[in-house]
Amino acid sequence: MTDHAAEVDALPKAELHVHLEGTATPELVRRLARRNGVALPDGLFADEHTFAWTDFLDFLRAYDVAASTIRTALDYRDVTYEYLTACAAEGAVYVELIASLDHGALVGLGDAEHIAGIAQGIDDAHADHGIVGRIISSCVRNFGVPAAEDVARRTVALDHPYVVGFNMAGDEAGFPAPDFARAFAIVAEAGLGCSVHAGEHAGPESVRAALALPGVRRISHGVRAIEDPALVEELARRAIVLEVCPTSNVVLGVYSSYEAHPLPALRAAGVLVTLGSDDPPYFGTTIGREYRLAHERLGCDLAALAAITRTALDAGFARHLAVNLTDHLGDR
Ligand SMILES: [Zn+2]
């Protein structure tokens, strides 16, 4: 493919799949640790941009240690502001941040205070850089069904204009989706958009189960749907959007290389996809880098990348935005 790096960098981008605590860079985590008097273990960082870890369990350990430095509403404001600022510098116009009320509670932060900190970061980034951020509240499968229903109820109770969706992350293989139907019914009835992590560490059956949950219109990852042609056809027919994170999939070993990644095959089958960075400083990536990789190694020309941004803006859960974000795309 010809070299269009500058045009890819200039292209408007949108991101629907990134975990807020997983965006804090080593530099920011060091700053928060100093601010909050948290001691960091040796070997947490590979370099100033990337965390060090060896396997999936070690990744989760590093993530939890780094996330434990994020403690106050001001910390959440700073994490949000700095991530959205970095995204804006790469051309992003819209980002949905997956936030965990459970994490806030773990560090003693009330839900309202937690979300107020994130909202302040969103407002400040919008004022300074024009980027629009919104919040997806997420539960964790392996914390169990009652905990998920609790997060669902608390998310609805927040009734915050920036909290536009609900997601579920965690162990998809060990905790079947149908058990969580009530949690999703609670948020779907309140009008929140729903997405579920599925089809990453488990196969097509996990994607099917996620799609059967109330309100689900997007799947976080979903890439292993490719193993079932009938499911691929259904995703295309129902215009279900897959929030694909190629580098996350390659780094975590879901696929052995970018060349083995199913994004081109999914697109060819008519499945709607977006690009996300998942946990950028852990996977050595950014939203801009995912767009570049999709161009250089996953067969997406500039028109395809513009279509991916349009899909993300159309499938975004934000309502009543003051600006029409698709204007950024012009006639692309
Ligand atoms: Zn994720």
Side-chain angles (χ1 to χ4, degrees), residues 27-119:
E27 191 273 320
L28 177 54
V29 164
R30 267 200 207 96
R31 225 183 318 140
L32 295 176
R34 266 198 306 276
R35 184 192 278 177
N36 294 320
V38 177
L40 294 175
D42 290 339
L44 183 62
F45 309 118
D47 59 46
E48 60 180 309
H49 305 294
T50 315
F51 290 91
W53 50 277
T54 51
D55 55 22
F56 188 61
L57 279 182
D58 197 40
F59 156 66
L60 293 178
R61 223 170 2 243
Y63 188 100
D64 284 344
V65 168
S68 75
T69 66
I70 309 167
R71 304 211 154 190
T72 67
L74 176 64
D75 297 344
Y76 270 102
R77 179 265 169 210
D78 290 351
V79 171
T80 303
Y81 179 80
E82 295 190 18
Y83 183 64
L84 291 176
T85 297
C87 288
E90 291 190 312
V93 296
Y94 180 72
V95 175
E96 288 183 0
L97 302 154
I98 301 172
S100 166
L101 295 181
D102 286 325
H103 178 78
L106 213 60
V107 294
L109 208 52
D111 295 344
E113 212 188 341
H114 179 181
I115 296 300
I118 300 172

Side-chain angles (χ1 to χ4, degrees), residues 225-240 242 262-273:
I226 199 68
E227 295 163 27
D228 180 343
L231 177 59
V232 170
E233 192 274 326
E234 181 184 342
L235 294 175
R237 181 168 39 81
R238 293 178 55 194
I240 300 292
L242 304 187
L263 184 126
L266 289 163
R267 284 187 52 243
V271 177
L272 294 172
V273 300

